[in-house]
Amino acid sequence: MVLKLQDAAKLKEYIREKYNQELHLHDTCSGQYFTFDTKIKGIDKDIKNYLKKIGKTAIFNDDTSFTVE
C-alpha cells in the first residue's frame, strides 16, 4: 500500500520536529518505502502509533527502514 504524499509529508515533519531526524521517502515502480539515517530508540513504536491514527500499519524491515500497509 502507498501512503499519500500529503500524509508522508506530515509524517516527515512530525519525525523532524520530534526527533530532529530526516525521514526519507523512496517511491519506486515496485513500491514505496521509508528510511532514516540512524536508529533512534523508540522511533519505530512512535511511527507505528502515528500511522495507526490514520488507519495504516508500519512494517519495519530493519532498524532504519519500513513500509506502510
Side-chain angles (χ1 to χ4, degrees):
M1 177 168 284
V2 175
L3 193 60
K4 293 179 185 177
L5 289 179
Q6 54 268 50
D7 290 332
K10 289 177 185 176
L11 177 59
K12 287 174 61 81
E13 181 179 340
Y14 173 74
I15 294 301
R16 188 179 311 113
E17 289 176 359
K18 184 164 184 175
Y19 291 99
N20 194 29
Q21 176 75 261
E22 189 65 34
L23 180 63
H24 307 284
L25 166 63
H26 306 273
D27 196 9
T28 65
C29 292
S30 61
Q32 184 185 67
Y33 66 100
F34 296 84
T35 61
F36 34 88
D37 298 328
T38 318
K39 173 68 174 166
I40 296 174
K41 186 176 180 179
I43 199 170
D44 53 342
K45 188 175 184 178
D46 206 17
I47 289 171
K48 286 178 181 181
N49 288 337
Y50 182 93
L51 290 174
K52 185 177 181 180
K53 292 177 186 176
I54 60 171
K56 307 291 183 188
T57 303
I59 307 297
F60 278 80
N61 304 314
D62 57 30
D63 288 343
T64 59
S65 69
F66 65 95
T67 58
V68 175
E69 293 185 357

